[in-house]
Amino acid sequence: MITLTEKAINAVGRFIASSETPTAGLRIEVTDGGCSGYQYGLKLETENTLEDTVIDCGTVKVFVAPTSMTMLDGMSVDFLDSIEGSGFKFINPNAAKSCACGSSFNTSASGTGTKTCS
């Protein structure tokens, strides 16, 4: 299960509304990099691929490729907006180690992906 908090859904909705191109949803991905081994990536997509897991989070659809799904199972995404800055916060139970900024992580064992959002 991947969850987006109400704040994250609202933030993504604002980004979609201000996009100059039609947007079908938000892609969440894991790529090599960062100081801990993997890093999160977010981008607006015009459409999903046939291989994607599509997660319906109310007003936002989330697209996740199979290669990323196992590392994101159980993750929650929040959006923080404070005097210190704003941005997405990832709470990932698969992350055995994270960097101080929270945008880079390393996993212990791979999980399995599901197709729900709460």
Side-chain angles (χ1 to χ4, degrees):
M1 175 188 300
I2 294 176
T3 59
L4 271 65
T5 66
E6 197 63 36
K7 289 180 183 179
I9 291 170
N10 290 337
V12 173
R14 288 192 308 270
F15 295 129
I16 289 173
S18 66
S19 176
E20 294 181 8
T21 58
T23 302
L26 174 72
R27 176 166 304 282
I28 302 177
E29 62 188 352
V30 174
T31 58
D32 290 336
C35 55
S36 294
Y38 297 108
Q39 60 189 5
Y40 301 106
L42 300 174
K43 63 182 173 180
L44 298 179
E45 291 281 5
T46 57
E47 62 186 4
N48 62 295
T49 68
L50 293 176
E51 296 83 23
D52 286 338
T53 297
V54 179
I55 303 165
D56 187 355
C57 293
T59 58
V60 173
K61 291 203 183 317
V62 175
F63 308 136
V64 183
T67 54
S68 294
M69 194 65 196
T70 56
M71 289 186 265
L72 301 178
D73 184 35
M75 184 176 77
S76 176
V77 181
D78 196 7
F79 187 80
L80 304 177
D81 197 6
S82 72
I83 196 163
E84 297 170 345
S86 63
F88 290 95
K89 179 179 179 184
F90 305 94
I91 301 100
N92 188 347
N94 302 303
K97 176 184 170 189
S98 294
C99 66
C101 70
S103 62
S104 172
F105 70 101
N106 206 338
T107 61
S108 54
S110 62
T112 58
T114 61
K115 300 179 183 178
T116 60
C117 183
S118 57

